[in-house]
């Protein structure tokens, strides 16, 4: 990298080196190009409009599926077997709106029983499933 120091007679150099200035300007230009689209990026969200004429949502019925410590399965406090459970689940899918299914296994229930019941629920294509009673385990961890 050679620099001209002007003439040997001690006169000042008349040309200014603009290469560093151009480098800085290019870096700033690239930074602006990168950051401006991020600042102007927006996600469009369709929010529901509040209308006073809308009726309150229908409260669907709730079914409770409970498994006790001995592995017995209960549908709304009535003991059932796996075939009856599948029939009840298929019948609940026909109701509009679909009822919520509250699933509550006993803490001492065997895992294979809980897994088998959850597999039946999954094969029935239940979409409104909730686990209830988990607050009893809050202090265990």
């Amino acid at each position: 990298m050679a620099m001209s120091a002007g003439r040997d007679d001690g006169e000042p150099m008349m040309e200014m080196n603009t290469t560093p200035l151009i480098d800085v300007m290019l870096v700033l230009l690239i930074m602006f190009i990168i950051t401006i689209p991020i600042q102007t990026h927006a996600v469009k969200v369709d929010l529901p409009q509040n209308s006073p004429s809308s009726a309150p949502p229908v409260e669907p019925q709730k079914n409770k599926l409970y498994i006790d410590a001995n592995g017995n399965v209960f549908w709304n406090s009535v003991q059932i077997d796996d075939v009856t459970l599948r029939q009840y689940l298929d019948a609940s899918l026909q109701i509009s709106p679909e009822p919520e299914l509250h699933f509550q296994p006993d803490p001492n229930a065997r895992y294979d029983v809980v897994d088998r019941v959850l597999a039946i629920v999954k094969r029935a294509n239940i979409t409104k499933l909730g686990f209830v009673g988990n607050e009893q385990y809050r202090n265990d961890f």
Side-chain angles (χ1 to χ4, degrees), residues 3-8 10-13:
M3 289 187 358
S4 66
R7 287 186 236 150
D8 290 335
E11 291 182 21
M13 184 175 72

Side-chain angles (χ1 to χ4, degrees), residues 16-135:
M16 186 171 127
N17 188 3
T18 58
T19 304
L21 179 65
I22 293 172
D23 288 346
V24 169
M25 296 304 278
L26 286 175
V27 168
L28 287 174
L29 179 68
I30 291 172
M31 299 220 9
F32 282 130
I33 290 172
I34 291 173
T35 58
I36 286 176
I38 294 173
Q39 293 173 354
T40 59
H41 181 72
V43 176
K44 204 168 202 180
V45 177
D46 294 327
L47 296 174
Q49 301 297 325
N50 189 9
S51 62
S53 64
S54 65
V58 177
E59 183 69 27
Q61 78 179 56
K62 297 172 176 82
N63 295 314
K64 185 172 182 182
L65 185 60
Y66 178 74
I67 302 175
D68 68 358
N70 296 328
N72 299 320
V73 180
F74 293 90
W75 178 274
N76 294 334
S77 302
V78 177
Q79 185 174 354
I80 58 171
D81 60 351
D82 292 348
V83 175
T84 309
L85 172 63
R86 180 58 191 253
Q87 291 171 350
Y88 284 169
L89 292 173
D90 290 338
S92 69
L93 283 175
Q94 304 304 321
I95 301 172
S96 179
E98 180 183 341
E100 296 176 9
L101 181 62
H102 293 181
F103 184 69
Q104 183 177 7
D106 188 88
N108 297 321
R110 294 187 45 87
Y111 177 74
D112 60 339
V113 176
V114 175
D115 184 48
R116 186 184 76 233
V117 171
L118 283 175
I120 293 170
V121 170
K122 182 178 180 182
R123 280 186 296 237
N125 296 324
I126 298 295
T127 57
K128 294 186 176 181
L129 173 68
F131 290 86
V132 295
N134 292 338
E135 58 274 355

